[in-house]
Amino acid sequence: MRVAIIGGSGIYDLDILTDPKEKVIETEYGAAKVKMGSYEDREVVFLARHEKGHALPPHKINYRANIAALKKLGVERIIGTTSVGGVSAKLRPGDFVLLDQFIDFTKNRTYTFYDDAVHVDMTHPYCPEIGKTVMNAAEMLKVKVHEKGTYVCTEGPRLETDAEIKMFASLGGDVVGMTNVPECILAREAEICYGAIALVANPAAGFTDKISYQQIVEMTKSKGDELKSLLMKSVSLIPEERKCLCKDALKGARIGELLTK
Ligand code: HPA
């Protein structure tokens, strides 16, 4: 079974892999740069969402090429990391949150692989098996992870206004970021399990007078090693066989097929 890690802000490399090889994977949507290697008995593919040196801002990432490349490599599970602003007052900078829901406020992205009517179920957008695995890994490593969190995805690249964050909080958002949509959706369309660990890098807009990106970068650097250990422990604990619904996401989702039955 192949597992992929998609590294967000602060995770631009995975120096822990055995026998790492850098590759460029071509897909019909464009190319994706990956590093392939192994960890314990697992084949691992690492993809830096923003590329080295944070070359790609959220709205310039080719999400379809990334997920299509992982699919082409036979990846069945993805664990993504993402740095976020804390919307919920109970979250503090430095906290880890396992995402379980998202609310989409992006405006200008390509959300699907398909041109025909394919309506994948998104009731539970994040894979529950990966979620359980991450929580087990966290317990074993004694790393505190909030078990649930609703991620509000904005278009960016600007940060949010005070009023937007108040609205997101009133809608039930816990954290805000710019990348999980459409990454999470495309993984579901590709029938790949997707789980995400968010690192709260800063209190979201309105908790302080100004958000400094310096603070965000420093937090992602200072928590990077802990996050990597959590990721690798999760990779080693992921069950070999998938029992969740993610692997059958396309079953019954294509209207054209249903009408001809
Ligand atoms: N807003 C959006 N994305 C982010 C933030 C934020 O406050 N912090 C880190 N990524």
Side-chain angles (χ1 to χ4, degrees):
M1 191 233 326
R2 272 206 173 137
V3 182
I5 289 174
I6 301 186
S9 300
I11 310 264
Y12 305 106
D13 197 3
L14 202 61
D15 36 24
I16 215 160
L17 298 182
T18 310
D19 202 13
K21 290 191 179 56
E22 293 195 5
K23 296 201 171 162
V24 176
I25 310 296
E26 300 289 342
T27 77
E28 63 183 284
Y29 308 99
K33 291 181 196 154
V34 299
K35 188 185 238 188
M36 299 177 68
S38 58
Y39 182 76
E40 298 182 355
D41 61 342
R42 295 277 148 92
E43 288 183 83
V44 179
V45 182
F46 173 73
L47 190 154
R49 190 188 286 124
H50 298 285
E51 295 194 350
K52 283 201 179 114
H54 211 101
L56 295 177
H59 62 297
K60 293 286 180 194
I61 294 169
N62 189 341
Y63 296 96
R64 291 204 299 180
N66 289 351
I67 299 296
L70 298 180
K71 183 71 181 175
K72 195 169 170 184
L73 292 171
V75 165
E76 290 187 348
R77 315 245 199 199
I78 298 171
I79 310 179
T81 76
T82 176
S83 92
V84 293
V87 173
S88 156
K90 68 172 193 273
L91 296 173
R92 295 276 166 268
D95 283 3
F96 292 117
V97 183
L98 178 73
L99 301 180
D100 74 322
Q101 286 292 324
F102 70 70
I103 302 176
D104 179 14
F105 275 95
T106 63
K107 297 170 186 163
N108 191 23
R109 299 187 182 184
T110 308
Y111 302 92
T112 179
F113 285 117
Y114 303 108
D115 286 330
D116 56 337
V118 175
H119 301 283
V120 286
D121 176 67
M122 273 285 140
T123 311
H124 300 290
Y126 298 92
C127 172
E129 282 189 358
I130 294 187
K132 246 187 233 155
T133 306
V134 169
M135 292 314 294
N136 286 342
E139 201 180 316
M140 288 168 83
L141 296 174
K142 307 216 173 335
V143 173
K144 188 180 167 214
V145 177
H146 297 269
E147 204 171 348
K148 279 174 189 289
T150 295
Y151 176 98
V152 179
C153 197
T154 61
E155 183 63 31
R158 68 165 177 86
L159 292 163
E160 299 73 36
T161 66
D162 182 7
E164 283 169 335
I165 293 300
K166 287 196 170 82
M167 173 182 71
F168 296 158
S170 76
L171 293 176
D174 295 303
V175 295
V176 60
M178 303 176 191
T179 54
N180 250 238
V181 176
E183 192 170 277
C184 174
I185 302 170
L186 294 168
R188 178 63 56 83
E189 282 197 350
E191 298 187 324
I192 302 175
C193 298
Y194 183 92
I197 305 168
L199 166 63
V200 180
N202 56 289
F207 287 96
T208 53
D209 265 352
K210 184 176 188 291
I211 295 172
S212 102
Y213 233 84
Q214 174 90 13
Q215 179 191 0
I216 297 181
V217 169
E218 274 164 20
M219 183 55 78
T220 57
K221 274 193 189 155
S222 76
K223 296 294 272 190
D225 285 346
E226 202 178 353
L227 183 52
K228 279 187 196 172
S229 349
L230 181 59
L231 285 168
M232 298 328 287
K233 189 62 157 179
S234 305
V235 165
S236 67
L237 292 178
I238 274 181
E240 191 67 38
E241 199 191 327
R242 298 199 289 169
K243 296 214 171 87
C244 49
L245 298 174
C246 318
K247 65 180 180 348
D248 298 316
L250 292 178
K251 271 196 192 135
R254 180 170 264 124
I255 291 196
E257 268 171 17
L258 299 174
L259 294 175
T260 53
K261 269 187 189 157

